[in-house]
Coordinates of all heavy atoms in Angstrom, one line a residue:
K175 N 80.3 96.2 121.4 CA 79.7 95.0 121.0 C 78.5 95.3 120.2 O 78.2 94.5 119.2 CB 79.3 94.1 122.2 CG 80.5 93.5 123.0 CD 81.2 92.5 122.0 CE 82.5 92.1 122.5 NZ 83.3 91.3 121.5
S196 N 93.9 104.4 103.8 CA 94.8 103.6 103.0 C 96.1 104.3 102.7 O 96.1 105.6 102.6 CB 94.1 103.3 101.6 OG 92.8 102.8 101.8
Y198 N 99.5 104.2 100.1 CA 99.9 103.5 98.7 C 100.9 104.4 98.1 O 101.1 105.6 98.4 CB 98.7 103.3 97.7 CG 97.9 104.6 97.5 CD1 98.2 105.4 96.4 CD2 96.8 105.0 98.3 CE1 97.6 106.5 96.1 CE2 96.1 106.1 98.0 CZ 96.4 106.9 96.9 OH 95.7 108.0 96.7
E211 N 88.1 104.6 90.1 CA 87.0 104.0 89.4 C 86.1 103.3 90.5 O 84.9 103.5 90.5 CB 87.5 102.9 88.5 CG 86.5 102.2 87.7 CD 87.1 101.2 86.8 OE1 88.2 101.4 86.1 OE2 86.6 100.1 86.7
K257 N 96.0 95.9 94.0 CA 97.4 95.6 94.1 C 98.2 96.8 94.2 O 97.9 97.9 93.5 CB 97.8 94.9 92.7 CG 99.1 94.2 92.7 CD 99.3 93.5 91.4 CE 100.8 93.1 91.3 NZ 101.3 92.9 90.0
M266 N 85.3 100.7 111.6 CA 83.8 100.7 111.6 C 83.2 101.4 112.8 O 83.5 100.9 114.0 CB 83.4 99.2 111.6 CG 83.9 98.5 110.3 SD 83.7 96.8 110.5 CE 85.4 96.2 110.4
K271 N 72.7 106.9 116.1 CA 71.3 107.2 116.3 C 70.8 106.1 117.3 O 69.9 106.4 118.1 CB 70.6 106.9 115.0 CG 70.8 108.0 114.0 CD 70.0 107.7 112.8 CE 70.5 108.7 111.7 NZ 70.1 108.3 110.3

Side-chain angles (χ1 to χ4, degrees):
K175 286 294 170 193
S196 309
Y198 57 88
E211 192 180 308
K257 194 176 170 205
M266 298 173 241
K271 289 177 192 163

